[in-house]
Amino acid sequence: MANIKPVIAGNWKMHKGPAEARTFIEQLTPLVPAMDDRHVWLFPPAISISAARAAAAARPDLRIGVQNIHWESAGAFTGETSAPMARSAGASHVLVGHSERRHVFGETDDQTGRKVTAGLASGLHVVLCVGETLDQRKAGELETVLARQVEAALVEVEPEAVSSLTIAYEPVWAIGTGVNATPKDAAGAHAWVRECLRRRFDGDAASRIPILYGGSVKPDNAGDLMAASDVNGVLVGGASLDPTSFSRIVAAAG
Ligand code: PGA
């Protein structure tokens, strides 16, 4: 098994405009010193990326990402952000296929796949989010759903691109509910995602892709979740909005 550096990622969702993003970074940086043994990524709303990047100018180790992109580079797509635009605003990473994109905005597996391809083509590091709903889990469809989401999203990804790919396993029933998956549940799902990656890429490439857990991660459960087998970090929503709580989750890695 490859030695994968833990990733602690914060998904702010539709919270924090430019001024709040700046304040957050100013408060976070003294709490989270630059560390070689873990990665810290922040995903502000698109409109706050430039401000976040500028506020973290002295901290290139803190990576800034965009929460969603369109698959085209430019065009008549009112309200959308393209991968090259996100890059030029200072994003180095992108979340693709977050459950809110899939379930609130009706994003399809096919669209998710096109966004993965567009993100990689523009030089963004792609964090592909996958996860089952409670109904799917109860119906015993966990493996089928995850396999389908992984396969559809990575259909055009070349093995050489895997160094720019991370997967986030986020069970829909755990997102924003306060009910996290147990470390054992997470380990089981991550092992299956790893198996899906092995079927898609060769074993060596697949073993190097970080698989993050997301869904009600808090300072008090982050350490146990990150210690679970095949859990290479966390994608944090609500608890990433407060610098102290997020810094405690960063400290829980490793
Ligand atoms: P949560 O969100 O930590 O608030 O559950 C996680 C996510 O949606 O990425």
Side-chain angles (χ1 to χ4, degrees), residues 180-188 221 224-229 231:
N180 60 285
T182 62
K184 190 165 168 276
D185 282 341
N221 62 20
D224 285 347
L225 284 161
M226 283 190 271
S229 154
V231 177

Side-chain angles (χ1 to χ4, degrees), residues 11 13 98 100 170 174-177 214-218 235-239:
N11 170 17
K13 311 194 180 191
H98 186 275
E100 284 143 27
E170 298 203 301
I175 296 180
T177 58
S216 296
V217 174
K218 308 286 175 212
L235 177 56
V236 188

